Amino acid sequence: MADMVNVYFFGKKYEVPSNLTIMTAMEYAGYQLVRGVGCRNGFCGACATIYRIKGQQELKMALACQTQVENNMYVATLPFFPLVKQVYDINKVKPEQQLMMQLYPEIYACVGCNACTKACTQGLNVMQYIAYAQRGDFKACADLSFDCVMCGVCSSRCPAGISHPQVAMLARRLNGKYLTPQAQHLLDRVKEISEGKYDDAMKAVMSLSDADIREKYNTREIEK
């Protein structure tokens, strides 16, 4: 049997196996997770979590699906944070600095505290990609924010009220739409799909059992 540790979920003490993640420890303790859980593999950002170890002052941020429990860990989840999400038509806007000033003017109130970077569950340099957004360097902002899972923890720690994930999303959309050269092979493949070239192949895959699909995936030929 695994060693047991004491953890506190929303202030209530539980004894759980030490080899569990925060998410599986909550389920072990009897919580039925209907919010704050998604892909369980660190990609969706739904399980943003804030915790502190008893006797330590540091407030730590993590994804519950990736982080192993520790003894005397006090946990609070952050399944939703009210980010500012502006509405725009990507086909009508232009990749100009003025656009960021219009949609997300709060980024220019950044005080350079770096709390966003320290809080990022992915270890991204959040303050730096916001600086790129301020200057209208959308390609650099897109590149640096590429691994953002939009969990919102950075924004929860920001004294200026910046919605960092939404700023980064706008930069990536502008970069993809206007700044990155089009890939002709991708355009060709999309055209082939639209024309039905792969319809029979898709039907054949959809008719397979889960076991057969896993087998095909695990034995697939990977391009080098």
Side-chain angles (χ1 to χ4, degrees):
M1 180 179 291
D3 294 333
M4 305 298 283
V5 295
N6 294 322
V7 295
Y8 297 79
F9 297 130
F10 309 105
K12 188 175 181 179
K13 181 179 177 181
Y14 298 92
E15 190 176 28
V16 303
S18 62
N19 61 352
L20 299 181
T21 64
I22 293 175
M23 182 178 290
T24 53
M26 292 183 72
E27 293 175 322
Y28 179 92
Y31 285 87
Q32 183 179 2
L33 302 179
V34 294
R35 295 199 61 187
V37 59
C39 69
R40 293 179 175 267
N41 282 292
F43 297 111
C44 72
C47 61
T49 300
I50 298 173
Y51 70 92
R52 175 177 280 147
I53 304 301
K54 185 177 182 179
Q56 300 179 12
Q57 296 301 315
E58 183 181 2
L59 191 64
K60 300 182 180 181
M61 289 76 180
L63 297 181
C65 68
Q66 293 181 320
T67 307
Q68 190 170 342
V69 293
E70 299 179 46
N71 193 43
N72 288 325
M73 173 187 276
Y74 286 78
V75 176
T77 61
L78 187 70
F80 170 78
F81 188 80
L83 300 173
V84 174
K85 183 179 181 181
Q86 300 293 0
V87 178
Y88 51 87
D89 186 338
I90 194 62
N91 294 305
K92 295 180 180 179
V93 297
K94 298 298 180 184
E96 301 170 349
Q97 183 181 12
Q98 185 179 3
L99 175 66
M100 196 64 75
M101 296 175 68
Q102 293 172 344
L103 295 179
Y104 295 104
E106 64 273 13
I107 67 173
Y108 298 96
C110 174
V111 298
C113 67
N114 212 32
C116 53
T117 299
K118 294 177 181 177
C120 180
T121 60
Q122 299 296 89
L124 303 181
N125 192 339
V126 182
M127 192 175 78
Q128 182 60 60
Y129 78 61
I130 290 298
Y132 286 139
Q134 290 172 334
R135 299 197 290 267
D137 190 345
F138 301 127
K139 184 181 187 308
C141 180
D143 289 343
L144 201 57
S145 69
F146 185 80
D147 288 327
C148 173
V149 294
M150 304 191 74
C151 67
V153 173
C154 54
S155 297
S156 74
R157 303 294 290 162
C158 179
I162 298 172
S163 292
H164 312 76
Q166 293 297 342
V167 172
M169 178 62 76
L170 173 57
R172 292 196 296 274
R173 286 172 173 166
L174 291 170
N175 184 55
K177 175 69 175 178
Y178 297 106
L179 305 179
T180 301
Q182 288 189 332
Q184 188 59 48
H185 69 283
L186 179 59
L187 296 176
D188 293 341
R189 183 57 55 85
V190 171
K191 184 174 184 292
E192 291 173 351
I193 293 172
S194 299
E195 292 174 346
K197 181 176 180 179
Y198 303 100
D199 286 355
D200 291 340
M202 288 297 296
K203 290 178 181 177
V205 171
M206 292 175 68
S207 67
L208 296 175
S209 66
D210 289 347
D212 288 336
I213 291 176
R214 290 193 184 95
E215 177 64 20
K216 278 188 170 294
Y217 179 82
N218 291 330
T219 59
R220 72 194 185 281
E221 182 179 351
I222 301 176
E223 294 183 7
K224 297 182 180 180

